[in-house]
Amino acid sequence: MLKILIWPGFILLLLAQWFVPLQMIWSKNKILSQGKSYKFETAPVDPSDPFMGKYIVLNFKESSLMTTDAKKFSYNGKVYVRFLTGNDGFAKVGSINVTTPQTDDYLETTISYISEMKDSSVVFLTYPFTRYYMEEYKAPKAESIYRDRIKDSTLKTYALVNIYKGDAVIKDVYINDTLINDVIKTRDAVR
């Protein structure tokens, strides 16, 4: 009797071990294939510690919205954000709601801070996409390039992020419309 139960249990365990990672991969690929792409301009990061391990830590310039009805929001509360593309081509926060939008291109996130003023408030958001993973040997080179960006205000750095039904995936990071990996290759070829 025990042998009869062990084999189905073992097979079920094997299937579960494969199902979870495959479901995660499928979910992220669906966001990349069906999600809407937005360019998020990055903000300078403290140059003494912009990397931890095998990923780049990204800060974004556009992470807040001024509103007159901040009373419906709470610190650390879940919100749904819709984005617009500004005249400069970068993502801008279009609206923040406490209910799920009827479209596919929204981000589910939380509020990190609310700054109240006399007639309005500024709602600051916490983005779930602040890490861009890279090959380990490229991280120090990318760190150097990123520090150069901070010194040179003419360089534009941004992350191309796909957003679909509340979730987001960083597709690539760019410096002046060139992939950061290509910038590293070019820099290596010069040296």
Side-chain angles (χ1 to χ4, degrees):
M1 177 71 173
L2 187 57
K3 285 186 177 182
I4 294 171
L5 293 176
I6 289 176
W7 280 108
F10 179 71
I11 292 171
L12 187 62
L13 180 65
L14 285 176
L15 291 174
Q17 285 181 329
W18 281 99
F19 175 76
V20 172
L22 289 175
Q23 192 275 334
M24 291 170 61
I25 293 168
W26 179 81
S27 173
K28 296 302 178 188
N29 281 335
K30 187 172 183 177
I31 294 167
L32 288 172
S33 66
Q34 296 180 5
K36 184 171 181 180
S37 294
Y38 291 96
K39 292 181 353 184
F40 285 81
E41 188 173 9
T42 59
V45 177
D46 179 6
S48 64
D49 188 23
F51 291 88
M52 296 174 67
K54 301 174 189 173
Y55 58 86
I56 304 170
V57 177
L58 300 171
N59 285 339
F60 298 98
K61 287 185 177 181
E62 185 65 32
S63 62
S64 64
L65 181 70
M66 186 171 285
T67 183
T68 56
D69 61 345
K71 303 246 186 283
K72 65 181 179 181
F73 304 117
S74 63
Y75 170 74
N76 241 4
K78 181 167 59 169
V79 292
Y80 302 93
V81 182
R82 300 264 341 265
F83 294 95
L84 305 171
T85 302
N87 293 337
D88 59 359
F90 294 107
K92 308 287 183 212
V93 177
S95 65
I96 303 173
N97 295 299
V98 292
T99 58
T100 308
Q102 298 300 315
T103 63
D104 289 344
D105 62 328
Y106 66 89
L107 177 66
E108 182 181 320
T109 189
T110 58
I111 295 175
S112 63
Y113 183 72
I114 300 173
S115 175
E116 303 211 13
M117 296 178 259
K118 185 177 180 181
D119 296 331
S120 62
S121 299
V122 179
V123 177
F124 293 89
L125 304 168
T126 301
Y127 289 140
F129 49 88
T130 58
R131 296 178 180 180
Y132 179 68
Y133 290 87
M134 300 182 69
E135 295 175 34
E136 187 172 349
Y137 78 93
K138 290 184 180 182
K141 296 174 185 180
E143 177 182 6
S144 174
I145 292 167
Y146 202 76
R147 284 184 181 170
D148 290 347
R149 183 268 184 227
I150 293 170
K151 294 175 188 172
D152 186 355
S153 62
T154 62
L155 294 176
K156 287 284 188 190
T157 61
Y158 62 91
L160 186 63
V161 179
N162 278 30
I163 296 175
Y164 183 70
K165 292 187 178 180
D167 208 354
V169 175
I170 297 177
K171 196 171 186 177
D172 286 305
V173 174
Y174 292 84
I175 297 179
N176 275 355
D177 295 324
T178 304
L179 286 169
I180 194 162
N181 287 323
D182 292 344
V183 172
I184 292 169
K185 286 178 191 173
T186 303
R187 193 175 208 181
D188 286 347
V190 172
R191 291 184 177 178

